[in-house]
């Protein structure tokens, strides 16, 4: 199955429930005019094609770019260069984000011109730049992620005491606006690249979390802005809630401006990469053409996708919100929950994060489990937002502050890799689908309910969507760590072996150990004369017990590492003995050693071990 | 344990194969991720030349390996194209008790018809390696990402840089193994130190390989 077919299948599987839900509602209780209805169907088809192409392009271009950039950062010789590069990356990708500019204009209008849109955009971009930079220092300097987030959010909580509720909503919303369809995959790729270069036992945990750190930047920036300018009150402004008519007209209207926006958003990453490629990386032509191909696919996919959401989904969301709010409040809350449940899975960044989780943990963390947890979190977030629209007494901070506070507490007892994934998920969930379809649904509902304010309640929705997954995934991580049950299973008697042998000069030794022990294997093998080794990440069943998560009965396959060593035949026995004599590796590492004679082509470098491939003297 | 059974399947299917194998008596297995490749100029031009694969390794006795080959052919249709491939490599399990025990007779019976050629090179050169192999008559290949053992460096943060590596697994008929090896070695300059290594493992049995017709898209094809 080719990569594109794989992506298309995955997108179809997540998009189908959304289409079915909308179709069911349109055919039963919601009265929608034909134009909007057909536009929604056309939009769904565009979204399917666009998102598949986009994800394909991300895999071709974004990951290699992230890898090269992160190598450039990590191999800096001065802290100043790390700080500058990190800041530049964060600043540039944010300042070009179209959603942020839209938000900037809304705030400008709402504050009566006291805060200009450009001040907001620059402030938020500086905030992101500073936090990305700090996040990179955290990763390279081995500071625990949960402690870093605790400090960051304590500062946010303190600041939030000084700002009004409206500003709090706006600041969390700004965080959702900056983690757009493009920035999130890029920052994820940087995070993965840094973690891979840094290596060591925490590689997997380090591959996540930078998006989470980055999303704190706008919150801090906007809150600081409010405190410094003493801007507290926000006047409600009229938001255009008109519904466009026709089928093709609105799509064609939206296309040119979205095309320009997409190019502007993609430009900083592309330019930065080409400048660095020209001066530093100098990658091969094949790889360069692959990256350019990927960037073009990203652009095409993004334009299709954003046009589809803006013209096909927004009006549909608004009409549904208005009609349902007019019918029954309970229905509104229920449908809101359902929508959150399924819409979040269509977000592009959710696909990218899922892919990264799969790659990094070699499938150890079941992807569907992450998706279900994310869905439930966002479903609840939308449902609670609807409650807030229906009952004005319920304030946003009732949910946001305790939600984050609890997540932070749990981050100290949760499985470490989930902490990063959870905070990333917050930024990942609040993407273009939420910003158009779900937001329009909420605003539609707010126009019908008199006590609700279209603008203020609208802002809160994205804040909720950004908070809920952090909380729900952290709960899952805690379960993962504490609630697993181990089932002992029978241990079979090993059959006596009748191994083959040929007159070969080398042996291939394959060692399978638990994650984190590969380095010890290499060290022990080096003591016995091996010079290098290659390590592959994998997952596997341990031989004498299995681990099952209760209630949901998901079997957890422990993460394993595979170490390949090629050694001279005279050394291999000694190396194997040396490894097997290490009680820690055998007991804690649950090591298995396999050997086979091999015909090898090996050259030893003059002085030192080769940086990678295994080799040894013959 | 006298051998390891390998299966290369589409991503997400390895667990199903492993569970089935456990019903047949396998004790457990290890899974890692790889990328399959298709040998087609057209598809490569438009970037469609990759697909995600999972590689499953099950340590088992020779007898069980044969049963597992039957199993994948029957239950997972490895007899058809593009359903996956499987092969057995005579890895022997080392334990402390048999330290120094001289291994006995070779593979037993007829000489194996296939060889497994494994090349480990710096990341980014995996594609070049595959091209060289194809030029010498190989018919596919699976790419696995790994990392080399660390080398300490002296940047601002004392990182232990773990160089990213591509591991290329190619299953080829025995008589083609030598030319493929030569071709890869010369095109990737493996004779120079530090450029990468290549080794060939004997294969006892294969399933799901199609030798004659062109255009097959399996993960590893020969």
């Amino acid at each position: 199955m080719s990569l594109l077919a794989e992506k298309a299948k995955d997108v179809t599987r997540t998009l189908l429930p959304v289409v079915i839900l909308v179709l069911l509602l349109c055919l039963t209780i919601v009265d929608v005019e034909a134009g909007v209805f057909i536009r929604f169907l056309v939009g769904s088809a565009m979204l399917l094609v666009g998102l598949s192409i986009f994800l394909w392009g991300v895999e071709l271009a974004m990951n290699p770019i992230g890898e090269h950039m992160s190598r450039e950062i990590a191999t800096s010789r001065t802290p100043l260069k790390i700080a500058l590069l990190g800041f530049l990356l964060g600043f540039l990708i944010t300042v070009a984000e179209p959603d942020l500019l839209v938000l900037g204009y809304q705030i400008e209008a709402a504050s009566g011109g006291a805060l200009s849109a450009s001040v907001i955009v620059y402030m938020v971009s500086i905030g992101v730049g500073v936090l990305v930079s700090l996040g990179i220092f955290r990763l390279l300097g081995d500071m625990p992620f949960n402690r870093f987030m605790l400090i960051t959010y304590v500062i946010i909580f303190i600041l939030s005491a000084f700002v009004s509720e409206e500003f709090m909503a706006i600041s969390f919303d700004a965080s959702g606006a900056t983690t757009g369809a493009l920035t999130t995959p890029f920052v994820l790729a940087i995070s993965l690249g840094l973690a891979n270069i840094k290596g060591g036992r925490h590689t997997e945990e380090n591959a996540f979390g930078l998006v989470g750190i980055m999303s704190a930047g706008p919150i801090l920036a906007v809150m600081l802005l409010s405190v410094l300018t003493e801007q507290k009150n926000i006047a409600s402004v009229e938001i255009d809630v008109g519904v466009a008519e026709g089928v093709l007209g609105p799509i064609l209207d939206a296309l040119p401006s979205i095309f320009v926006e997409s190019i502007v958003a993609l430009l900083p990453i592309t330019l930065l990469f080409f400048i660095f490629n020209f001066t530093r990386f100098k990658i091969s032509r094949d790889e360069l053409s692959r990256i350019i191909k990927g960037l073009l696919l990203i652009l095409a996919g993004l334009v299709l996708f954003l046009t589809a959401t803006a013209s096909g989904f927004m009006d549909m969301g608004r009409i549904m919100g208005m009609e349902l709010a007019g019918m029954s409040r309970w229905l509104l809350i229920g449908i809101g929950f359902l929508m959150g449940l399924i819409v979040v899975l269509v977000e592009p960044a959710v696909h990218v994060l899922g892919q990264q989780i799969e790659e990094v943990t070699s499938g150890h963390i079941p992807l569907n489990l992450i998706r279900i947890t994310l869905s439930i979190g966002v479903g609840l977030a939308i449902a609670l937002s609807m409650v807030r629209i229906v009952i004005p007494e319920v304030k946003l901070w009732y949910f946001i502050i305790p939600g984050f506070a609890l997540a932070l507490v749990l981050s100290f007892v949760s499985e470490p890799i989930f902490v990063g994934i959870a905070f990333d998920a917050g930024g990942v969930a609040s993407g273009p689908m939420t910003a158009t379809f779900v937001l329009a649904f909420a605003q539609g509902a707010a126009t019908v309910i008199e006590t609700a304010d279209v603008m203020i309640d609208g802002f809160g929705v994205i804040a909720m969507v950004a908070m809920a997954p952090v909380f729900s995934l952290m709960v899952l991580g805690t379960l993962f760590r504490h609630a697993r049950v181990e089932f002992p299973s029978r241990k079979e008697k090993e059959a006596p072996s009748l191994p083959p042998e040929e007159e070969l000069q080398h042996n291939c030794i394959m060692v399978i150990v638990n994650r984190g022990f590969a380095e010890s294997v290499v060290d022990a093998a080096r003591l016995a004369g091996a010079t290098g080794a290659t390590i592959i990440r994998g997952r596997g069943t341990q031989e004498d017990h299995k681990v099952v998560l209760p209630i949901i009965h998901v079997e957890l396959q422990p993460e394993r590492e595979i170490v390949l060593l090629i050694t001279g035949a005279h050394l291999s026995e000694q190396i194997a003995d040396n490894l097997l004599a290490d009680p820690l590796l055998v007991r804690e590492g649950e090591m298995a050693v396999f050997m086979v004679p091999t015909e090898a082509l090996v050259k030893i470098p003059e002085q030192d071990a080769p940086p990678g491939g295994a080799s040894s003297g013959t | 344990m006298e051998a390891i059974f390998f299966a290369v399947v589409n991503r997400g299917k390895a667990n199903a194969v492993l569970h089935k194998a456990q019903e047949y008596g396998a004790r457990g297995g290890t899974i890692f991720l790889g990328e399959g490749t298709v040998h087609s100029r057209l598809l490569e031009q438009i970037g469609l030349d990759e697909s995600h694969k999972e590689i499953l390794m099950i340590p088992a006795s020779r007898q069980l390996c044969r049963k597992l080959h039957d199993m994948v052919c029957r239950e997972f249709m490895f007899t058809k194209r593009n359903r996956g491939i499987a092969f057995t490599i005579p890895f022997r399990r080392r334990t402390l008790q048999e330290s120094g025990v001289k291994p006995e007779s070779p593979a037993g019976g007829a000489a194996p018809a296939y060889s497994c050629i494994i090349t480990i090179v710096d990341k980014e050169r995996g594609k070049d390696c595959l091209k060289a192999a194809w030029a010498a008559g190989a018919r596919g290949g699976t790419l696995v990402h790994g990392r080399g053992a660390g080398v300490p460096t002296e940047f601002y943060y004392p990182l232990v840089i773990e160089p990213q590596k591509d591991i290329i697994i190619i299953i080829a008929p025995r008589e083609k193994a030598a030319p493929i090896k030569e071709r890869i070695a010369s095109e990737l300059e493996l004779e120079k130190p530090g450029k990468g290594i290549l080794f060939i493992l004997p294969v006892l049995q294969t399933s799901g390989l199609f030798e004659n017709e062109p255009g097959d898209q399996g993960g590893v094809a020969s």
Side-chain angles (χ1 to χ4, degrees):
Chain A
M1 196 167 38
S2 84
L3 216 55
L4 179 61
E6 224 170 88
K7 303 284 183 213
K9 204 172 135 193
D10 204 29
V11 173
T12 313
R13 216 169 29 212
T14 52
L15 180 62
L16 218 53
V18 178
V19 176
I20 291 174
L21 175 72
V22 172
L23 281 185
L24 276 180
L25 286 175
C26 287
L27 294 178
T28 52
I29 43 176
V30 178
D31 182 26
V32 178
E33 56 181 293
V36 176
F37 184 69
I38 296 170
R39 190 138 43 83
F40 171 78
L41 291 180
V42 174
S44 303
M46 280 170 70
L47 192 140
L48 170 64
V49 176
L51 188 52
S52 308
I53 297 179
F54 174 79
L55 292 171
W56 183 28
V58 165
E59 185 141 344
L60 286 182
M62 215 54 118
N63 297 347
I65 292 181
E67 203 172 286
H68 286 291
M69 295 302 297
S70 52
R71 169 155 317 155
E72 185 64 31
I73 296 171
T75 53
S76 308
R77 285 179 200 281
T78 62
L80 189 69
K81 188 179 164 197
I82 301 179
L84 271 179
L85 267 180
F87 178 80
L88 205 65
L89 278 180
F91 183 84
L92 284 179
I93 52 174
T94 312
V95 88
E97 180 63 49
D99 286 358
L100 183 60
L101 193 64
V102 173
L103 182 80
Y105 281 123
Q106 282 182 9
I107 299 177
E108 185 179 301
S111 64
L115 294 171
S116 78
S118 57
V119 168
I120 305 256
V121 170
Y122 284 118
M123 232 1 231
V124 168
S125 304
I126 290 171
V128 173
V130 169
L131 270 137
V132 166
S133 185
L134 286 176
I136 293 172
F137 276 112
R138 179 217 64 92
L139 196 156
L140 294 174
D142 263 336
M143 180 180 183
F145 180 70
N146 44 16
R147 204 178 302 161
F148 184 93
M149 287 320 262
L150 183 68
I151 295 170
T152 313
Y153 274 89
V154 164
I155 297 174
I156 289 177
F157 290 159
I158 293 172
L159 278 178
S160 67
F162 296 97
V163 299
S164 61
E165 199 206 342
E166 290 86 349
F167 248 100
M168 196 174 122
I170 289 174
S171 61
F172 278 93
D173 194 53
S175 144
T178 47
T179 48
L182 259 182
T183 44
T184 321
F186 182 64
V187 174
L188 276 172
I190 293 271
S191 189
L192 177 64
L194 282 172
N196 272 338
I197 290 175
K198 175 142 170 62
R201 214 169 258 230
H202 299 294
T203 309
E204 295 176 11
E205 284 110 272
N206 281 339
F208 303 99
L210 200 56
V211 173
I213 291 177
M214 172 182 117
S215 14
I219 306 177
L220 285 170
V222 175
M223 282 189 174
L224 267 178
L225 202 63
S226 161
V227 172
L228 291 179
T229 59
E230 288 169 7
Q231 181 74 35
K232 284 226 165 127
N233 295 315
I234 287 280
S236 181
V237 282
E238 277 304 305
I239 290 180
D240 173 32
V241 285
V243 172
E245 277 175 29
V247 179
L248 274 180
I251 296 180
L252 292 177
D253 281 346
L255 206 59
S257 61
I258 286 178
F259 184 69
V260 174
E261 274 175 12
S262 302
I263 286 187
V264 170
L266 197 55
L267 213 56
I269 300 173
T270 315
L271 279 183
L272 212 61
F273 169 73
F274 277 105
I275 291 170
F276 271 100
N277 184 44
F278 209 65
T279 54
R280 301 294 302 253
F281 316 148
K282 301 197 169 57
I283 57 175
S284 72
R285 258 193 67 203
D286 271 11
E287 205 194 345
L288 193 65
S289 78
R290 203 178 129 94
I291 288 178
I292 293 174
K293 228 179 308 183
L295 285 171
L296 290 175
L297 286 171
I298 290 177
L299 180 64
L302 197 63
V303 171
L304 271 179
F305 175 83
L306 292 180
T307 310
T309 52
S311 57
F313 281 69
M314 214 144 127
D315 287 343
M316 183 53 101
R318 191 162 289 150
I319 293 173
M320 278 169 48
M322 281 155 67
E323 298 246 338
L324 287 172
M327 269 178 249
S328 143
R329 306 198 157 181
W330 287 111
L331 197 64
L332 181 71
I333 296 168
I335 299 287
F337 177 73
L338 269 180
M339 265 182 58
L341 215 54
I342 55 182
V343 166
V344 65
L345 296 180
V346 189
E347 289 288 356
V350 169
H351 286 264
V352 179
L353 180 72
Q355 172 77 23
Q356 184 150 323
I357 293 172
E358 194 180 42
E359 293 280 344
V360 167
T361 67
S362 307
H364 161 62
I365 297 177
L367 194 54
N368 283 336
L369 198 59
I370 298 275
R371 287 191 172 167
I372 291 167
T373 314
L374 197 63
S375 278
I376 294 174
V378 175
L380 284 176
I382 307 290
L384 289 176
S385 300
M386 295 304 138
V387 171
R388 222 163 48 81
I389 290 175
V390 175
I391 310 167
E393 286 77 34
V394 180
K395 301 273 185 237
L396 180 66
W397 65 265
Y398 289 2
F399 305 115
I400 297 283
I401 303 251
F404 272 115
L406 226 84
L408 284 167
V409 171
L410 285 178
S411 77
F412 286 85
V413 291
S414 150
E415 184 82 12
I417 189 169
F418 276 90
V419 181
I421 295 179
F423 276 103
D424 277 0
V428 159
S430 54
M433 272 305 263
T434 316
T436 53
F437 194 39
V438 176
L439 193 61
F441 180 75
Q443 286 175 339
T447 46
V448 175
I449 293 167
E450 291 92 31
T451 48
D453 183 296
V454 179
M455 188 179 135
I456 291 169
D457 287 325
F459 278 137
V461 172
I462 292 181
M464 288 292 285
V465 172
M467 183 279 289
V470 181
F471 179 69
S472 68
L473 278 168
M474 210 67 92
V475 171
L476 179 69
T478 310
L479 276 179
F480 232 80
R481 181 153 174 196
H482 294 278
R484 47 172 65 175
V485 182
E486 301 204 351
F487 290 103
S489 69
R490 75 212 148 82
K491 178 135 191 168
E492 222 173 83
K493 192 86 188 131
E494 220 168 278
S497 56
L498 293 164
E501 172 71 318
E502 283 166 55
E503 281 307 304
L504 295 171
Q505 307 247 299
H506 289 87
N507 272 347
C508 169
I509 306 180
M510 182 165 74
V511 187
I512 305 178
V513 284
N514 283 342
R515 175 167 74 96
F517 288 91
E519 266 71 33
S520 322
V521 169
V522 177
D523 291 343
R526 275 184 174 154
L527 281 179
T531 47
T534 307
I535 302 157
I536 305 168
R537 272 199 292 259
R539 65 179 200 272
T541 50
Q542 272 149 324
E543 305 218 337
D544 48 1
H545 61 268
K546 71 177 188 179
V547 178
V548 175
L549 220 55
I551 307 162
I552 36 182
H553 296 293
V554 176
E555 186 185 340
L556 294 180
Q557 293 171 316
E559 289 165 281
R560 307 276 267 165
E561 280 172 320
I562 301 151
V563 185
L564 280 176
L565 299 138
I566 304 295
T567 64
H570 61 290
L571 278 171
S572 56
E573 290 291 323
Q574 180 62 42
I575 290 172
D577 282 349
N578 220 25
L579 290 177
L580 288 162
D582 189 332
L584 187 75
L585 283 178
V586 176
R587 222 174 306 120
E588 302 275 308
E590 295 177 77
M591 177 178 65
V593 180
F594 298 94
M595 254 163 71
V596 66
T598 180
E599 179 193 342
L601 193 76
V602 174
K603 284 282 180 291
I604 355 142
E606 315 288 298
Q607 339 102 344
D608 226 8
S615 77
S616 98
T618 43
Chain B
M1 301 291 151
E2 298 166 70
I4 294 185
F5 173 84
F6 285 78
V8 183
V9 292
N10 278 334
R11 218 163 267 184
K13 269 178 94 181
N15 274 346
V17 178
L18 179 59
H19 284 145
K20 209 74 198 164
Q22 279 170 333
E23 286 175 23
Y24 280 68
R27 287 230 316 258
T30 305
I31 300 163
F32 54 97
L33 304 184
E35 285 160 26
T37 48
V38 193
H39 181 187
S40 153
R41 179 158 287 273
L42 174 73
L43 291 179
E44 193 188 326
Q45 291 276 314
I46 53 173
L48 268 175
D49 56 335
E50 281 174 22
S51 56
H52 287 150
K53 297 280 174 192
E54 273 179 332
I55 300 125
L56 165 68
M57 301 192 292
I58 302 174
S61 66
R62 297 260 171 106
Q63 208 186 352
L64 180 56
C65 280
R66 274 194 290 277
K67 272 201 260 170
L68 291 178
H69 277 283
D70 290 346
M71 183 273 289
V72 290
C73 288
R74 207 170 40 241
E75 308 268 352
F76 295 94
M77 300 302 191
F78 275 28
T79 44
K80 290 189 184 154
R81 277 180 187 286
N82 307 334
R83 296 302 172 92
I85 65 149
F87 52 94
T88 309
I89 290 182
F91 271 103
R92 113 191 114 91
R93 174 85 187 253
R94 255 305 297 268
T95 53
L96 257 191
Q97 288 78 32
E98 44 178 291
S99 158
V101 173
K102 193 73 192 140
E104 288 162 40
S105 68
Y114 284 92
S115 290
C116 172
I117 307 164
I118 299 181
T119 319
I120 303 177
V121 291
D122 282 332
K123 194 175 178 177
E124 282 130 39
R125 298 214 306 158
K127 280 273 157 63
D128 299 341
C129 170
L130 279 167
K131 279 182 195 155
W134 291 336
R139 289 274 307 283
T142 304
L143 230 152
V144 177
H145 298 301
R147 61 184 202 271
V151 192
T153 57
E154 40 180 288
F155 298 111
Y156 175 69
Y157 280 107
L159 302 173
V160 176
I161 296 246
E162 294 177 334
Q164 304 280 303
K165 295 283 168 185
D166 274 349
I167 299 137
I168 299 98
I169 305 169
I170 296 166
I171 303 287
R174 229 161 93 94
E175 65 275 10
K176 277 190 190 166
I180 292 174
K181 179 185 100 179
E182 296 302 325
R183 187 79 183 231
I184 294 177
S186 68
E187 293 208 0
L188 284 106
E189 301 177 309
L190 293 189
E191 71 277 7
K192 289 188 190 159
K195 284 283 186 183
I197 63 163
L198 178 150
F199 55 98
I200 300 176
L201 302 175
V203 174
L204 293 183
Q205 192 184 354
T206 60
S207 303
L209 288 179
F210 295 89
E211 192 47 40
N212 303 320
E213 297 145 77
D216 83 285
Q217 315 198 345
V220 183
S222 61

